[in-house]
Amino acid sequence: LINILLYLSESTTMAPATPEPIASTKGRQIPIVCPGHTRPLAELQFRSVHENDEKRTFLVSACHDKMPMLRDAATGDWIGTFAGHKGAVWSCRLDPAALLAGTASGERLS
């Protein structure tokens, strides 16, 4: 079982009237383990989108196990798996709105 280990920087808050960040959260990283893949990863891509005054970041992973996965990058929570490839998946991309995903593999089409 292959784990994706993310180190996310905790958001730095700004005091309302000063340009200086509040020191207590500056530079802190939070590790997130994302289990699920069974073979080595070929590529990861992050995509941030703003929707209804809310920012969400997605993570899509290409893997040799033939099963690209989509996750919430802030929490590592699994959103879904793209099934159907018959060979290792070498590349993955999300469109700018994170509504479409594209994957590429080494399989032959008949």
Side-chain angles (χ1 to χ4, degrees):
L1 187 66
I2 304 294
N3 292 325
I4 300 171
L5 182 60
L6 304 174
Y7 284 99
L8 301 176
S9 294
E10 198 172 73
S11 61
T12 309
T13 57
M14 304 292 276
T18 65
E20 292 297 317
I22 297 171
S24 65
T25 60
K26 188 175 182 180
R28 183 173 175 210
Q29 292 184 337
I30 303 166
I32 296 176
V33 177
C34 305
H37 286 296
T38 58
R39 301 283 314 274
L41 293 173
E43 185 173 44
L44 293 172
Q45 188 200 19
F46 289 90
R47 178 68 67 195
S48 293
V49 294
H50 293 75
E51 183 179 286
N52 301 329
D53 295 329
E54 183 180 322
K55 179 182 174 185
R56 290 193 67 190
T57 304
F58 297 98
L59 167 69
V60 64
S61 56
C63 184
H64 294 199
D65 66 3
K66 310 171 194 171
M67 305 293 278
M69 292 186 184
L70 181 66
R71 298 179 178 276
D72 182 321
T75 62
D77 290 342
W78 176 83
I79 296 172
T81 301
F82 302 101
H85 282 289
K86 294 177 179 30
V89 180
W90 293 98
S91 186
C92 58
R93 292 285 185 272
L94 290 172
D95 77 318
L99 296 174
L100 298 173
T103 59
S105 73
E107 65 203 38
R108 290 185 60 170
L109 299 176
S110 300

PDB file of all heavy atoms in Angstrom, residues 62-63 65-68 82-92 102-107 109:
ATOM      1  N   ALA A  62      -1.803  10.311 -10.445  1.00  0.00           N
ATOM      2  CA  ALA A  62      -1.634   9.268 -11.458  1.00  0.00           C
ATOM      3  C   ALA A  62      -0.722   8.200 -10.856  1.00  0.00           C
ATOM      4  O   ALA A  62       0.260   8.514 -10.200  1.00  0.00           O
ATOM      5  CB  ALA A  62      -1.002   9.845 -12.721  1.00  0.00           C
ATOM      6  N   CYS A  63      -1.070   6.939 -11.096  1.00  0.00           N
ATOM      7  CA  CYS A  63      -0.349   5.860 -10.424  1.00  0.00           C
ATOM      8  C   CYS A  63      -0.216   4.645 -11.336  1.00  0.00           C
ATOM      9  O   CYS A  63      -1.014   4.441 -12.243  1.00  0.00           O
ATOM     10  CB  CYS A  63      -1.110   5.495  -9.150  1.00  0.00           C
ATOM     11  SG  CYS A  63      -0.286   4.265  -8.148  1.00  0.00           S
ATOM     12  N   ASP A  65      -0.909   1.757 -10.515  1.00  0.00           N
ATOM     13  CA  ASP A  65      -1.927   0.764 -10.177  1.00  0.00           C
ATOM     14  C   ASP A  65      -3.189   0.877 -11.048  1.00  0.00           C
ATOM     15  O   ASP A  65      -4.178   0.209 -10.784  1.00  0.00           O
ATOM     16  CB  ASP A  65      -2.294   0.837  -8.690  1.00  0.00           C
ATOM     17  CG  ASP A  65      -2.975   2.137  -8.286  1.00  0.00           C
ATOM     18  OD1 ASP A  65      -3.241   2.999  -9.150  1.00  0.00           O
ATOM     19  OD2 ASP A  65      -3.235   2.312  -7.083  1.00  0.00           O
ATOM     20  N   LYS A  66      -3.161   1.736 -12.072  1.00  0.00           N
ATOM     21  CA  LYS A  66      -4.247   1.899 -13.052  1.00  0.00           C
ATOM     22  C   LYS A  66      -5.459   2.639 -12.495  1.00  0.00           C
ATOM     23  O   LYS A  66      -6.509   2.669 -13.124  1.00  0.00           O
ATOM     24  CB  LYS A  66      -4.720   0.546 -13.600  1.00  0.00           C
ATOM     25  CG  LYS A  66      -3.635  -0.357 -14.103  1.00  0.00           C
ATOM     26  CD  LYS A  66      -4.188  -1.729 -14.415  1.00  0.00           C
ATOM     27  CE  LYS A  66      -3.049  -2.718 -14.577  1.00  0.00           C
ATOM     28  NZ  LYS A  66      -3.533  -4.078 -14.678  1.00  0.00           N
ATOM     29  N   MET A  67      -5.363   3.229 -11.304  1.00  0.00           N
ATOM     30  CA  MET A  67      -6.508   3.842 -10.635  1.00  0.00           C
ATOM     31  C   MET A  67      -6.200   5.272 -10.189  1.00  0.00           C
ATOM     32  O   MET A  67      -5.856   5.503  -9.024  1.00  0.00           O
ATOM     33  CB  MET A  67      -6.899   3.004  -9.421  1.00  0.00           C
ATOM     34  CG  MET A  67      -7.187   1.541  -9.721  1.00  0.00           C
ATOM     35  SD  MET A  67      -8.642   1.293 -10.711  1.00  0.00           S
ATOM     36  CE  MET A  67      -9.870   1.386  -9.461  1.00  0.00           C
ATOM     37  N   PRO A  68      -6.322   6.275 -11.076  1.00  0.00           N
ATOM     38  CA  PRO A  68      -6.121   7.666 -10.637  1.00  0.00           C
ATOM     39  C   PRO A  68      -7.148   8.032  -9.570  1.00  0.00           C
ATOM     40  O   PRO A  68      -8.293   7.575  -9.618  1.00  0.00           O
ATOM     41  CB  PRO A  68      -6.351   8.488 -11.902  1.00  0.00           C
ATOM     42  CG  PRO A  68      -6.425   7.526 -13.025  1.00  0.00           C
ATOM     43  CD  PRO A  68      -6.693   6.178 -12.470  1.00  0.00           C
ATOM     44  N   PHE A  82     -10.946   7.053 -10.534  1.00  0.00           N
ATOM     45  CA  PHE A  82     -11.296   6.942 -11.950  1.00  0.00           C
ATOM     46  C   PHE A  82     -10.911   5.535 -12.415  1.00  0.00           C
ATOM     47  O   PHE A  82      -9.738   5.214 -12.550  1.00  0.00           O
ATOM     48  CB  PHE A  82     -10.550   7.993 -12.775  1.00  0.00           C
ATOM     49  CG  PHE A  82     -10.828   9.393 -12.322  1.00  0.00           C
ATOM     50  CD1 PHE A  82      -9.915  10.071 -11.529  1.00  0.00           C
ATOM     51  CD2 PHE A  82     -11.995  10.036 -12.678  1.00  0.00           C
ATOM     52  CE1 PHE A  82     -10.161  11.373 -11.113  1.00  0.00           C
ATOM     53  CE2 PHE A  82     -12.258  11.328 -12.259  1.00  0.00           C
ATOM     54  CZ  PHE A  82     -11.333  11.999 -11.475  1.00  0.00           C
ATOM     55  N   ALA A  83     -11.908   4.703 -12.658  1.00  0.00           N
ATOM     56  CA  ALA A  83     -11.672   3.318 -13.054  1.00  0.00           C
ATOM     57  C   ALA A  83     -11.769   3.185 -14.572  1.00  0.00           C
ATOM     58  O   ALA A  83     -12.463   3.952 -15.226  1.00  0.00           O
ATOM     59  CB  ALA A  83     -12.685   2.401 -12.390  1.00  0.00           C
ATOM     60  N   GLY A  84     -11.054   2.203 -15.134  1.00  0.00           N
ATOM     61  CA  GLY A  84     -11.191   1.910 -16.550  1.00  0.00           C
ATOM     62  C   GLY A  84      -9.885   1.730 -17.291  1.00  0.00           C
ATOM     63  O   GLY A  84      -9.861   1.114 -18.350  1.00  0.00           O
ATOM     64  N   HIS A  85      -8.785   2.259 -16.761  1.00  0.00           N
ATOM     65  CA  HIS A  85      -7.500   2.073 -17.438  1.00  0.00           C
ATOM     66  C   HIS A  85      -7.050   0.616 -17.322  1.00  0.00           C
ATOM     67  O   HIS A  85      -7.282  -0.034 -16.314  1.00  0.00           O
ATOM     68  CB  HIS A  85      -6.431   2.988 -16.831  1.00  0.00           C
ATOM     69  CG  HIS A  85      -6.529   4.409 -17.275  1.00  0.00           C
ATOM     70  ND1 HIS A  85      -6.213   4.807 -18.548  1.00  0.00           N
ATOM     71  CD2 HIS A  85      -6.912   5.526 -16.617  1.00  0.00           C
ATOM     72  CE1 HIS A  85      -6.386   6.112 -18.653  1.00  0.00           C
ATOM     73  NE2 HIS A  85      -6.818   6.576 -17.491  1.00  0.00           N
ATOM     74  N   LYS A  86      -6.388   0.132 -18.356  1.00  0.00           N
ATOM     75  CA  LYS A  86      -5.865  -1.236 -18.352  1.00  0.00           C
ATOM     76  C   LYS A  86      -4.350  -1.262 -18.211  1.00  0.00           C
ATOM     77  O   LYS A  86      -3.740  -2.320 -18.156  1.00  0.00           O
ATOM     78  CB  LYS A  86      -6.294  -1.950 -19.629  1.00  0.00           C
ATOM     79  CG  LYS A  86      -7.801  -2.156 -19.681  1.00  0.00           C
ATOM     80  CD  LYS A  86      -8.224  -2.795 -20.977  1.00  0.00           C
ATOM     81  CE  LYS A  86      -9.691  -3.044 -21.102  1.00  0.00           C
ATOM     82  NZ  LYS A  86     -10.592  -2.172 -20.444  1.00  0.00           N
ATOM     83  N   GLY A  87      -3.740  -0.082 -18.138  1.00  0.00           N
ATOM     84  CA  GLY A  87      -2.299   0.029 -17.967  1.00  0.00           C
ATOM     85  C   GLY A  87      -1.969   1.113 -16.952  1.00  0.00           C
ATOM     86  O   GLY A  87      -2.857   1.824 -16.465  1.00  0.00           O
ATOM     87  N   ALA A  88      -0.690   1.227 -16.629  1.00  0.00           N
ATOM     88  CA  ALA A  88      -0.245   2.236 -15.667  1.00  0.00           C
ATOM     89  C   ALA A  88      -0.644   3.628 -16.140  1.00  0.00           C
ATOM     90  O   ALA A  88      -0.553   3.947 -17.320  1.00  0.00           O
ATOM     91  CB  ALA A  88       1.263   2.160 -15.502  1.00  0.00           C
ATOM     92  N   VAL A  89      -1.102   4.457 -15.221  1.00  0.00           N
ATOM     93  CA  VAL A  89      -1.468   5.833 -15.533  1.00  0.00           C
ATOM     94  C   VAL A  89      -0.248   6.710 -15.265  1.00  0.00           C
ATOM     95  O   VAL A  89       0.262   6.749 -14.153  1.00  0.00           O
ATOM     96  CB  VAL A  89      -2.684   6.295 -14.694  1.00  0.00           C
ATOM     97  CG1 VAL A  89      -3.048   7.721 -15.016  1.00  0.00           C
ATOM     98  CG2 VAL A  89      -3.869   5.367 -14.958  1.00  0.00           C
ATOM     99  N   TRP A  90       0.208   7.398 -16.302  1.00  0.00           N
ATOM    100  CA  TRP A  90       1.451   8.169 -16.232  1.00  0.00           C
ATOM    101  C   TRP A  90       1.239   9.649 -15.972  1.00  0.00           C
ATOM    102  O   TRP A  90       2.140  10.334 -15.507  1.00  0.00           O
ATOM    103  CB  TRP A  90       2.231   7.990 -17.524  1.00  0.00           C
ATOM    104  CG  TRP A  90       2.722   6.600 -17.690  1.00  0.00           C
ATOM    105  CD1 TRP A  90       2.147   5.615 -18.435  1.00  0.00           C
ATOM    106  CD2 TRP A  90       3.851   6.012 -17.067  1.00  0.00           C
ATOM    107  NE1 TRP A  90       2.852   4.451 -18.314  1.00  0.00           N
ATOM    108  CE2 TRP A  90       3.927   4.666 -17.485  1.00  0.00           C
ATOM    109  CE3 TRP A  90       4.821   6.485 -16.188  1.00  0.00           C
ATOM    110  CZ2 TRP A  90       4.913   3.811 -17.056  1.00  0.00           C
ATOM    111  CZ3 TRP A  90       5.819   5.625 -15.773  1.00  0.00           C
ATOM    112  CH2 TRP A  90       5.853   4.299 -16.208  1.00  0.00           C
ATOM    113  N   SER A  91       0.062  10.171 -16.302  1.00  0.00           N
ATOM    114  CA  SER A  91      -0.144  11.607 -16.175  1.00  0.00           C
ATOM    115  C   SER A  91      -1.605  11.902 -15.831  1.00  0.00           C
ATOM    116  O   SER A  91      -2.500  11.118 -16.154  1.00  0.00           O
ATOM    117  CB  SER A  91       0.229  12.296 -17.493  1.00  0.00           C
ATOM    118  OG  SER A  91       0.165  13.694 -17.365  1.00  0.00           O
ATOM    119  N   CYS A  92      -1.821  13.039 -15.168  1.00  0.00           N
ATOM    120  CA  CYS A  92      -3.176  13.459 -14.811  1.00  0.00           C
ATOM    121  C   CYS A  92      -3.228  14.982 -14.746  1.00  0.00           C
ATOM    122  O   CYS A  92      -2.238  15.630 -14.431  1.00  0.00           O
ATOM    123  CB  CYS A  92      -3.591  12.856 -13.476  1.00  0.00           C
ATOM    124  SG  CYS A  92      -2.498  13.270 -12.111  1.00  0.00           S
ATOM    125  N   GLY A 102      -8.361  14.797 -16.748  1.00  0.00           N
ATOM    126  CA  GLY A 102      -7.819  14.032 -17.869  1.00  0.00           C
ATOM    127  C   GLY A 102      -6.696  13.147 -17.356  1.00  0.00           C
ATOM    128  O   GLY A 102      -5.916  13.555 -16.500  1.00  0.00           O
ATOM    129  N   THR A 103      -6.630  11.920 -17.858  1.00  0.00           N
ATOM    130  CA  THR A 103      -5.571  10.993 -17.462  1.00  0.00           C
ATOM    131  C   THR A 103      -4.967  10.379 -18.716  1.00  0.00           C
ATOM    132  O   THR A 103      -5.624  10.275 -19.740  1.00  0.00           O
ATOM    133  CB  THR A 103      -6.099   9.878 -16.543  1.00  0.00           C
ATOM    134  OG1 THR A 103      -7.126   9.157 -17.237  1.00  0.00           O
ATOM    135  CG2 THR A 103      -6.659  10.435 -15.245  1.00  0.00           C
ATOM    136  N   ALA A 104      -3.714   9.984 -18.634  1.00  0.00           N
ATOM    137  CA  ALA A 104      -3.022   9.360 -19.758  1.00  0.00           C
ATOM    138  C   ALA A 104      -2.287   8.119 -19.273  1.00  0.00           C
ATOM    139  O   ALA A 104      -1.649   8.135 -18.229  1.00  0.00           O
ATOM    140  CB  ALA A 104      -2.044  10.336 -20.381  1.00  0.00           C
ATOM    141  N   SER A 105      -2.395   7.054 -20.063  1.00  0.00           N
ATOM    142  CA  SER A 105      -1.744   5.804 -19.664  1.00  0.00           C
ATOM    143  C   SER A 105      -1.018   5.194 -20.858  1.00  0.00           C
ATOM    144  O   SER A 105      -1.101   5.683 -21.972  1.00  0.00           O
ATOM    145  CB  SER A 105      -2.775   4.808 -19.124  1.00  0.00           C
ATOM    146  OG  SER A 105      -3.549   4.290 -20.183  1.00  0.00           O
ATOM    147  N   GLY A 106      -0.323   4.112 -20.595  1.00  0.00           N
ATOM    148  CA  GLY A 106       0.443   3.443 -21.638  1.00  0.00           C
ATOM    149  C   GLY A 106      -0.285   2.297 -22.297  1.00  0.00           C
ATOM    150  O   GLY A 106       0.325   1.511 -23.013  1.00  0.00           O
ATOM    151  N   GLU A 107      -1.581   2.196 -22.105  1.00  0.00           N
ATOM    152  CA  GLU A 107      -2.327   1.075 -22.682  1.00  0.00           C
ATOM    153  C   GLU A 107      -2.565   1.277 -24.180  1.00  0.00           C
ATOM    154  O   GLU A 107      -2.597   2.402 -24.667  1.00  0.00           O
ATOM    155  CB  GLU A 107      -3.661   0.908 -21.949  1.00  0.00           C
ATOM    156  CG  GLU A 107      -4.570   2.097 -22.152  1.00  0.00           C
ATOM    157  CD  GLU A 107      -5.601   2.251 -21.061  1.00  0.00           C
ATOM    158  OE1 GLU A 107      -5.287   1.995 -19.897  1.00  0.00           O
ATOM    159  OE2 GLU A 107      -6.717   2.629 -21.377  1.00  0.00           O
ATOM    160  N   LEU A 109      -5.076   1.032 -27.376  1.00  0.00           N
ATOM    161  CA  LEU A 109      -6.499   0.998 -27.716  1.00  0.00           C
ATOM    162  C   LEU A 109      -6.691   0.118 -28.923  1.00  0.00           C
ATOM    163  O   LEU A 109      -5.957   0.221 -29.898  1.00  0.00           O
ATOM    164  CB  LEU A 109      -7.006   2.419 -27.991  1.00  0.00           C
ATOM    165  CG  LEU A 109      -6.896   3.394 -26.824  1.00  0.00           C
ATOM    166  CD1 LEU A 109      -7.326   4.772 -27.259  1.00  0.00           C
ATOM    167  CD2 LEU A 109      -7.735   2.916 -25.662  1.00  0.00           C
TER     168      LEU A 109
END
